[in-house]
Amino acid sequence: MRESRSFCHDRRAQTVIPSGQTQIGRMLRWPLKAMPKAAVIPIMSGPARGVRWVVGASIHGCWLGTYEKTKQKRFAAAVSRNDVVYDLGAQAGFYSLLASRLVGPQGAVYAFEPLPRNVGFLQEHIKLNGVTNINVFKLAIGGTDGTAQFEDGPNPLQGSLSERGAREVRIARLDTLFSEGQLRAPSVLKNRHRGWWIASVYWSDEIARDPQAVGFPGDRCPVGLRVL
């Protein structure tokens, strides 16, 4: 059986902080290591500035606001008031929290995340920020309904659905969740998988309401999705 490809977690997670393998990177990271992992502080910069965040929930770039700076800006520009956002691979909730702020109380955010550790922080962040428009699904989106193996990565932003994985997680199709009445029709899809085959495998025309997909440059875009 061919190994599944990941769309839940980004193998290329980066911040503007230089690599820890360099001398300047180690120097810059030294004070960051002194930050208590349980500390709750406002995100310091970017579109999510002011959102309350647990330091140890993810890499330091999240609470610094430097994580994926360009993609943050693209995402913020794509999401409007009252939108419905699907966050596939929500991790600890960085983009879900940003989307929650952008869509407002009449909008909705659906956060899909299979790892219990990340789900715990995601739910804590929702509580810390008094958010009421994020709906959490403790699963990964896949081509079938059931379970799959998940291989953990070196940090909470990295990992993949893989036959080599020691962890079993729940997976579900978007079509199934929609047909069960658990989802509103989306206007924005945030997906970490490179390439838009996800649309034809996990998506059906009946739930597509001209969604905007925030993707990477060069992605193939099927009918119904607009790459920004």
Side-chain angles (χ1 to χ4, degrees):
M1 182 180 294
R2 187 176 62 183
E3 178 179 303
S4 300
R5 298 178 64 185
S6 168
F7 52 86
C8 292
H9 294 72
D10 191 355
R11 292 186 179 278
R12 299 168 300 281
Q14 298 178 351
T15 71
V16 297
I17 303 174
S19 168
Q21 302 301 314
T22 65
Q23 183 176 0
I24 188 171
R26 288 191 293 270
M27 290 174 61
L28 290 173
R29 279 170 170 75
W30 182 81
L32 297 179
K33 292 181 179 179
M35 291 288 295
K37 291 186 180 298
V40 177
I41 60 175
I43 292 176
M44 298 180 64
S45 64
R49 181 176 180 178
V51 171
R52 301 186 74 194
W53 186 266
V54 179
V55 169
S58 191
I59 61 175
H60 293 301
C62 288
W63 65 265
L64 289 171
T66 58
Y67 171 60
E68 297 186 340
K69 289 183 69 174
T70 300
K71 293 173 191 173
Q72 282 190 59
K73 293 178 181 178
R74 292 172 59 201
F75 184 79
V79 179
S80 302
R81 202 77 170 169
N82 302 327
D83 271 344
V84 176
V85 178
Y86 287 11
D87 186 357
L88 278 60
Q91 302 162 349
F94 186 87
Y95 282 102
S96 290
L97 292 166
L98 174 56
S100 170
R101 168 184 284 184
L102 296 169
V103 303
Q106 300 305 313
V109 179
Y110 295 98
F112 305 91
E113 174 55 47
L115 298 186
R117 184 258 185 211
N118 285 346
V119 170
F121 280 115
L122 171 56
Q123 293 175 327
E124 184 173 358
H125 287 145
I126 290 172
K127 184 177 180 179
L128 283 169
N129 290 279
V131 171
T132 60
N133 60 356
I134 297 179
N135 304 274
V136 178
F137 288 79
K138 302 175 184 179
L139 52 79
I141 296 303
T144 60
D145 299 309
T147 61
Q149 299 307 117
F150 191 95
E151 184 176 19
D152 292 342
N155 67 53
L157 297 176
Q158 298 179 345
S160 61
L161 292 171
S162 171
E163 294 177 0
R164 298 192 303 267
R167 184 190 301 274
E168 187 175 76
V169 300
R170 182 188 169 199
I171 61 172
R173 288 179 58 93
L174 285 175
D175 291 3
T176 301
L177 298 175
F178 186 82
S179 66
E180 293 173 347
Q182 298 190 58
L183 305 174
R184 289 168 55 184
S187 43
V188 177
L189 169 69
K190 192 228 75 182
N191 170 37
R192 291 191 171 276
H193 183 69
R194 188 175 181 84
W196 293 111
W197 58 275
I198 185 173
S200 59
V201 177
Y202 310 133
W203 197 267
S204 73
D205 291 339
E206 65 181 287
I207 69 172
R209 183 172 57 82
D210 190 26
Q212 304 171 29
V214 181
F216 299 91
D219 282 348
R220 293 180 297 105
C221 182
V223 175
L225 291 178
R226 180 164 60 88
V227 177
L228 304 178

